[in-house]
Amino acid sequence: MVVFAAVLVFQLAGSERQAAERRVAHSARMLAASFEQEMAGSIRTLQALAESDALARGDLEAFLAECVRVRGTQPSWKVVLLIAPDGQSLLNTGVPWGARPPPLAERESFMRVIQTHEPTVGRIATGKGSAGALAFPIRVPVMRDGSLRYVLTAVITPESLVQVVASQGSSGEEWTRSLVDQGGLMAARTRDPARFVGKPAPRSFLEKTRLSNEDVYADVSLDGTEVYVAFSRSPAWGWTASVVNPRRLLDAPLADSMLAVGGLGLALLLVSASGAWVFSRRIERSIAHASAAAAALSRGELPQKAPSSVRELARLGEALEHSGRLLREREAERDAHLAVSEAARAEAVAATRAKDAFLAMLGHELRNPLAPIVTSMDLLRARGLARTPEHEVITRQLQHVVRLVDDLLDVSRITRGHLELRREPVELSSVVTRALEAVAPLIQQRRHVLEADVSPGAWLLADPDRLTQVVANLLTNAAKYTPPGGHLLVRARDVEGGFSLVVEDDGPGLPPDILPRIFEPFVQGPRTVDRSEGGLGLGLALVRSLVEAHGGQVEAHDKGPGQGCTFTVWLPGHLRVERPSSIPGEAPREASPAREFMAGNRFGVLVVDDNVDAAELLTDLLEMNGYEVRMAHDCEEALNRLEVFLPQLVLLDIGLPGVDGYGVAERIRRRLGDASPVFAALTGFGQAEDRARSHAAGFLQHFVKPLNIDDLLAFVESLRTRQKGAA
């Protein structure tokens, strides 16, 4: 109890002292706020003056007249200056028009405005005019077309700050109030200003203000009086406001409070010591029982309730016993929930892995039968046998199946974070053109009227194939859900801040419940009974993912029932690039392989594929284009072909039975050594890791089934041309 009384006395003493310090600190903050408010008013006036039409026209004589008029409304302003960015004074309201203004008196704040383009308040300086009076500047930048044109300055004398330091109603405790500029010079003071204004502040004050922005400390005034000094620095302009109070005025109530509390504490000490001795033994036993129960609970044991004559401690024992029982029950529930959660997580992980493996295998298995079908159609067209309407139907439906497989695998890549963009400079109009070529058969089939409005000359750094896929998917979606004979519009613009792609239709529109989820996988709008719209509901999900991968956004808007929809793609402006000097795809084409073959310069290709139909069709196609081709269906047959035929290129299926494509390539390299041919992979697997593995195994190209014949022929022709040049 003695310690308690002592602590109580010191705490109350500290509280009294803190309350007194808070009062003087609040007074200093209010003085700093009043100074900021005064400066802010002058800055606003200067900024309004900076918008003068005369200044905008460059009519400085008329602007000088405006400055004189405004200066008359501001009692605190001494003169108004207009300064060029090089520091030359252009006009001064203190000198007549045509006379040369005096040079700058304070350059630090002027250079700060030049660097930051922000208003500022300078420090006290002696003027360069004939009077040489003390003053400080307020400067604002004058901006025109984003660049600094002038610096407009109002010069204010320290006398104008007397009203600021005196405007705050001071209590009887306050003795002196003052303002100090950034350089530590006294700018205003309520007591004896003529003696101190323009002089440096006391060294102890400057040291304290360098350490913190706000504080209260004890000091000795210049005339030897013990005082408390409270200061607060203006965060905007760096000036410091201070309030000085005699210590005797603040410490006297504190000493009286300490005496009163000390006497009362001593009395309470005597009473409480007597009562504590009487009740301590009685309470001690109950506390010991409660402590033992709490220790048992902390060890996970069930606490035993002990009887107590103290009602509160008896209740505490009951609460501890009940808490022990609840803790046991909660631990059992937690363990059960944790086991269920772990099992569910393991099932989800396994399901996700199984789904990804299934999608990859599904793509491979679907592409294997598609490859010979696509190649057969290419051969029929090359031989002039695919000109009937039935062939066109087969081609369209085959392209539809290929697109469904590609969409399904693209969604799998995006879900696993394996989507890669191959960025290169591409013209926006070429993206739209390629997309229109891709969807032209569907638009013609449904007899739609298509309007394209594309601004030329807009170049951006993007993946041209993926961006074409975005526009093609939007156009396909609009064509499928618009009744035959509808109107479609695609518009592409290079707009301020980025690029805009808009696809509109006049179809039935989107229901309100579908619109917020239209870009989610497998979400589709209303479909007819015959499901003529087709698709898996993945096209728009791919659009959003591909656009966001480029850093853009896509939105869908419904124009009302029967009025159609608008899909808007926005791509950011940082993708914008200049038109490259050389554009991929514009190089002149070399002579066709057929003509080279007629000249007697044949190029050998070995096709290795266990799918007999696919191998035979690919062999026929390459032979039609003038290449010498041999065919094999497994590793042993491929090695036997090398006995009589030395190819320059091996088109190798990765998924061969027995020895896979990587093993076949390794055996061919060991047999032929430096005479080994170039290898290109044929596979139904097109994931990023599949391409990386084939590249690491030395395959120059990775073709995904079904093959794009034009890409294959272009690749073979590039190898033939390279070999011819080397020869």
Side-chain angles (χ1 to χ4, degrees):
M1 292 304 298
V2 171
V3 173
F4 169 75
V7 170
L8 181 62
V9 169
F10 282 109
Q11 285 184 342
L12 290 175
S15 299
E16 288 285 344
R17 183 181 299 278
Q18 290 174 3
E21 291 179 354
R22 284 195 297 269
R23 288 196 299 273
V24 294
H26 177 71
S27 182
R29 283 195 296 270
M30 293 300 294
L31 179 56
S34 179
F35 170 74
E36 287 187 353
Q37 184 177 4
E38 182 71 17
M39 297 300 100
S42 296
I43 287 174
R44 286 194 297 270
T45 304
L46 282 174
Q47 289 174 336
L49 184 59
E51 299 298 327
S52 167
D53 292 337
L55 183 59
R57 297 190 309 268
D59 189 352
L60 298 186
E61 184 175 2
F63 181 64
L64 177 61
E66 292 186 17
C67 292
V68 171
R69 176 180 57 77
V70 174
R71 183 249 175 270
T73 65
Q74 302 294 319
S76 62
W77 291 10
K78 182 178 179 181
V79 293
V80 178
L81 310 176
L82 185 66
I83 308 168
D86 60 0
Q88 179 182 359
S89 295
L90 302 178
L91 60 82
N92 187 325
T93 58
V95 298
W97 173 254
R100 183 175 182 180
L104 286 177
E106 194 269 324
R107 297 189 63 87
E108 181 180 343
S109 61
F110 173 76
M111 296 306 298
R112 193 156 57 245
V113 174
I114 294 296
Q115 295 171 359
T116 65
H117 294 180
E118 296 290 338
T120 189
V121 177
R123 54 198 295 182
I124 295 289
T126 303
K128 297 294 185 178
S130 57
L134 292 174
F136 67 93
I138 299 178
R139 308 185 192 276
V140 299
V142 180
M143 308 298 294
R144 292 292 185 270
D145 297 329
S147 61
L148 182 68
R149 186 73 177 273
Y150 308 104
V151 176
L152 189 59
T153 303
V155 179
I156 299 179
T157 60
E159 290 79 4
S160 63
L161 298 178
V162 173
Q163 183 179 0
V164 175
V165 296
S167 62
Q168 301 291 321
S170 60
S171 64
E173 299 173 346
E174 296 182 4
W175 191 39
T176 304
R177 303 162 61 82
S178 59
L179 287 171
V180 179
D181 70 1
Q182 305 99 317
L185 296 181
M186 195 73 69
R189 198 171 190 267
T190 54
R191 292 170 59 90
D192 202 5
R195 178 183 174 189
F196 294 102
V197 172
K199 302 296 191 298
R203 178 177 299 177
S204 59
F205 176 83
L206 297 178
E207 291 176 353
K208 290 289 185 180
T209 55
R210 277 197 298 268
L211 298 177
S212 64
N213 294 329
E214 186 175 287
D215 197 5
V216 179
Y217 67 96
D219 202 355
V220 178
S221 66
L222 297 177
D223 54 6
T225 304
E226 293 183 343
V227 295
Y228 287 114
V229 180
F231 66 87
S232 177
R233 181 180 292 112
S234 166
W237 316 120
W239 285 47
T240 305
S242 67
V243 176
V244 180
N245 303 272
R247 281 198 229 177
R248 55 182 174 78
L249 295 179
L250 298 181
D251 291 346
L254 182 61
D256 296 341
S257 299
M258 291 179 64
L259 289 175
V261 172
L264 180 60
L266 181 60
L268 291 175
L269 174 63
L270 296 175
V271 175
S272 60
S274 302
W277 187 83
V278 173
F279 292 106
S280 61
R281 299 295 300 172
R282 178 178 159 188
I283 297 175
E284 180 183 3
R285 289 189 297 273
S286 298
I287 292 179
H289 287 303
S291 176
L297 183 63
S298 68
R299 294 192 299 270
E301 302 173 358
L302 189 64
Q304 299 296 324
K305 181 178 66 173
S308 174
S309 58
V310 181
R311 182 174 56 186
E312 289 79 5
L313 291 175
R315 291 178 178 175
L316 175 61
E318 295 175 356
L320 289 173
E321 185 179 13
H322 182 62
S323 298
R325 290 195 298 271
L326 290 179
L327 184 60
R328 290 282 182 88
E329 295 174 0
R330 297 298 182 270
E331 287 178 351
E333 292 178 1
R334 181 201 61 192
D335 293 341
H337 291 162
L338 183 59
V340 172
S341 300
E342 286 296 326
R345 187 185 69 83
E347 290 179 2
V349 171
T352 301
R353 291 175 179 172
K355 179 203 68 176
D356 293 338
F358 170 75
L359 289 177
M361 184 57 63
L362 177 64
H364 180 267
E365 294 303 323
L366 289 176
R367 281 172 167 166
N368 274 334
L370 286 175
I373 299 175
V374 171
T375 307
S376 297
M377 292 304 300
D378 290 331
L379 277 172
L380 289 175
R381 281 194 296 270
R383 294 169 177 170
L385 301 178
R387 299 178 181 177
T388 65
E390 291 78 6
H391 286 102
E392 295 299 325
V393 171
I394 294 173
T395 300
R396 287 196 301 270
Q397 297 306 317
L398 183 60
Q399 291 173 349
H400 181 64
V401 173
V402 172
R403 185 169 64 251
L404 291 179
V405 173
D406 289 340
D407 286 351
L408 192 62
L409 293 179
D410 281 341
V411 168
S412 174
R413 294 189 191 101
I414 293 170
T415 303
R416 295 184 297 154
H418 290 176
L419 178 67
E420 295 182 357
L421 297 181
R422 294 178 175 84
R423 299 179 184 267
E424 61 184 56
V426 59
E427 190 175 11
L428 192 59
S429 60
S430 69
V431 169
V432 176
T433 300
R434 291 167 60 183
L436 292 177
E437 292 175 354
V439 301
L442 176 61
I443 294 175
Q444 294 173 1
Q445 177 188 1
R446 298 183 66 85
R447 304 186 307 278
H448 291 318
V449 177
L450 174 64
E451 179 183 352
D453 183 9
V454 183
S455 60
W459 287 82
L460 66 160
L461 187 64
D463 188 323
D465 295 331
R466 292 302 188 181
L467 211 54
T468 301
Q469 187 177 1
V470 167
V471 182
N473 281 8
L474 291 176
L475 286 171
T476 300
N477 182 77
K480 288 193 301 183
Y481 285 93
T482 300
H487 290 76
L488 308 180
L489 169 64
V490 56
R491 183 169 59 250
R493 288 283 185 271
D494 183 353
V495 297
E496 183 178 358
F499 302 89
S500 173
L501 282 167
V502 179
V503 175
E504 297 183 8
D505 62 68
D506 57 357
L510 288 171
D513 59 326
I514 295 294
L515 188 60
R517 302 183 294 112
I518 193 63
F519 292 106
E520 297 178 6
F522 308 111
V523 173
Q524 295 177 314
R527 313 185 71 172
T528 58
V529 176
D530 61 357
R531 296 179 55 88
S532 60
E533 294 84 0
L536 300 174
L538 299 175
L540 294 182
L542 284 173
V543 167
R544 182 177 67 177
S545 299
L546 294 176
V547 170
E548 291 178 350
H550 283 85
Q553 297 176 349
V554 59
E555 297 177 350
H557 299 280
D558 180 57
K559 296 186 288 187
Q563 299 183 26
C565 301
T566 299
F567 289 85
T568 303
V569 174
W570 180 85
L571 297 173
H574 66 76
L575 299 178
R576 185 178 289 105
V577 295
E578 297 294 331
R579 184 182 190 276
S581 57
S582 61
I583 305 171
E586 289 191 355
R589 298 181 60 87
E590 298 290 339
S592 68
R595 285 197 294 269
E596 291 294 340
F597 171 69
M598 296 302 294
N601 189 9
R602 296 174 65 86
F603 182 84
V605 181
L606 175 61
V607 177
V608 185
D609 195 334
D610 61 318
N611 188 321
V612 177
D613 292 338
E616 290 178 350
L617 291 170
L618 185 57
T619 299
D620 291 344
L621 182 64
L622 291 172
E623 288 178 344
M624 286 180 59
N625 283 271
Y627 302 107
E628 185 175 356
V629 188
R630 298 293 185 272
M631 177 176 56
H633 303 302
D634 54 29
C635 177
E636 183 179 356
E637 187 177 358
L639 295 176
N640 291 336
R641 293 291 187 189
L642 298 178
E643 299 294 336
V644 295
F645 176 68
L646 185 62
Q648 285 79 32
L649 169 65
V650 178
L651 295 175
L652 189 56
D653 182 19
I654 298 299
L656 291 173
V659 181
D660 63 9
Y662 299 118
V664 174
E666 181 62 27
R667 285 166 172 75
I668 292 177
R669 290 193 184 98
R670 286 201 301 265
R671 172 171 295 190
L672 298 182
D674 295 337
S676 296
V678 173
F679 292 92
L682 300 176
T683 177
F685 294 102
Q687 306 285 4
E689 56 267 27
D690 301 319
R691 297 178 182 274
R693 183 182 178 187
S694 67
H695 178 74
F699 285 75
L700 186 61
Q701 187 62 274
H702 187 104
F703 291 105
V704 180
K705 299 177 180 179
L707 293 175
N708 184 311
I709 298 303
D710 292 335
D711 292 343
L712 175 63
L713 293 178
F715 171 70
V716 178
E717 174 64 8
S718 66
L719 293 180
R720 187 204 60 77
T721 305
R722 187 188 312 170
Q723 183 190 33
K724 180 180 177 181

